[in-house]
Amino acid sequence: MKIVGFMGSPRKNGNTAVLLQQVMEGAQKEGAECTIYYLNDLKIKGCQGCNACKRKGYCVIPDDMQNIYQIINEADVLVFSSPVYMWGMTAQLKLMIDRLYAYMNADYSSRLAKPIKFALLFTQHRAVEDAFMPYFESVAGILEVIGFKFVPDIVVGSGLHDAGEVKSNDALLERAYELGRKVALQ
Ligand SMILES: Cc1cc2nc3c(=O)[nH]c(=O)nc-3n(C[C@H](O)[C@H](O)[C@H](O)COP(=O)(O)O)c2cc1C
């Protein structure tokens, strides 16, 4: 079982990073092989809308996304994670998700070669946990349209501001750890 975490925050010591690490530790407890990719470290260009992926079956932009496509193709579960920036995901994660358009055929059917599941993890300053839930669900929706299978559970770390402050929130740490165990047992 290969589980890949995509880290959408630029803060490697931030709240999203702490919770994503917890997810991975929970998954490792169940024997999964886990790797985290820090999107902020990668060179990922925005989709150019050239539609070459519709004609050729793959994205032609020569950047780090080519490696990420391989990593996705070999994964069993993807964990997409991001802080909420301006009521949405970070630009780092959005760049990557736009490039997943390459997994859709011209008729919008999926060209994923095998079932790959995904889970979502967000952090936010707003204390109201479900303040952005409709948005998170719409992110899950587009990933399902691309062909990924949703593990229907979204971990939301709310009321967070300072980098790493979530470390003192045992309930959230536990919640993220349990998500990891859950996805590994899929
Ligand atoms: C540019 C920017 C925009 C933000 N926008 C929002 C927002 O719209 N809603 C919110 O609740 N929190 C917002 N936040 C707060 C972050 O989501 C929150 O502090 C989160 O825990 C940061 O995650 P990190 O520690 O992993 O970087 C924003 C933070 C930044 C830096």
Side-chain angles (χ1 to χ4, degrees):
M1 165 75 74
K2 281 191 182 174
I3 302 190
V4 173
F6 292 114
M7 235 291 280
S9 173
R11 297 203 294 192
K12 284 187 178 167
N13 59 345
N15 300 304
T16 316
V18 170
L19 291 176
L20 182 59
Q21 188 59 40
Q22 282 292 112
V23 175
M24 294 299 167
E25 283 174 23
Q28 277 164 348
K29 170 83 172 24
E30 299 301 336
E33 181 190 322
C34 301
T35 317
I36 295 175
Y37 291 88
Y38 294 89
L39 298 174
N40 196 50
D41 288 347
L42 304 181
K43 297 270 180 290
I44 299 178
K45 204 168 174 174
C47 175
Q48 300 296 293
C50 65
N51 281 317
C53 60
K54 304 293 163 274
R55 297 187 300 275
K56 295 173 180 262
Y58 57 88
C59 177
V60 297
I61 301 175
D63 64 8
D64 286 341
M65 203 52 207
Q66 296 304 332
N67 189 33
I68 295 292
Y69 289 129
Q70 288 309 315
I71 286 159
I72 290 174
N73 293 342
E74 290 166 13
D76 298 296
V77 182
L78 310 175
V79 182
F80 296 92
S81 71
S82 177
V84 171
Y85 272 16
M86 306 306 192
W87 290 40
M89 68 180 80
T90 58
Q92 288 89 337
L93 182 58
K94 183 66 164 62
L95 282 174
M96 184 218 165
I97 288 187
D98 279 3
R99 296 283 296 281
L100 301 182
Y101 184 60
Y103 283 118
M104 293 162 94
N105 293 310
D107 65 358
Y108 298 107
S109 60
S110 175
R111 65 165 68 103
L112 281 174
K114 64 172 179 107
I116 300 174
K117 299 191 176 79
F118 74 94
L120 294 178
L121 160 64
F122 286 95
T123 64
Q124 63 194 41
H125 192 202
R126 278 284 291 275
V128 180
E129 189 181 314
D130 61 359
F132 303 107
M133 194 52 82
Y135 170 74
F136 302 153
E137 287 168 353
S138 88
V139 173
I142 187 58
L143 290 168
E144 286 185 304
V145 168
I146 293 165
F148 300 107
K149 307 285 175 233
F150 186 33
V151 178
D153 191 3
I154 304 175
V155 169
V156 180
S158 54
L160 300 170
H161 184 266
D162 296 335
E165 69 174 289
V166 73
K167 282 182 191 162
S168 59
N169 187 326
D170 289 342
L172 265 177
L173 295 175
E174 178 68 14
R175 175 93 174 78
Y177 188 86
E178 287 305 319
L179 176 67
R181 290 191 59 220
K182 181 173 169 177
V183 296
L185 292 170
Q186 291 290 306

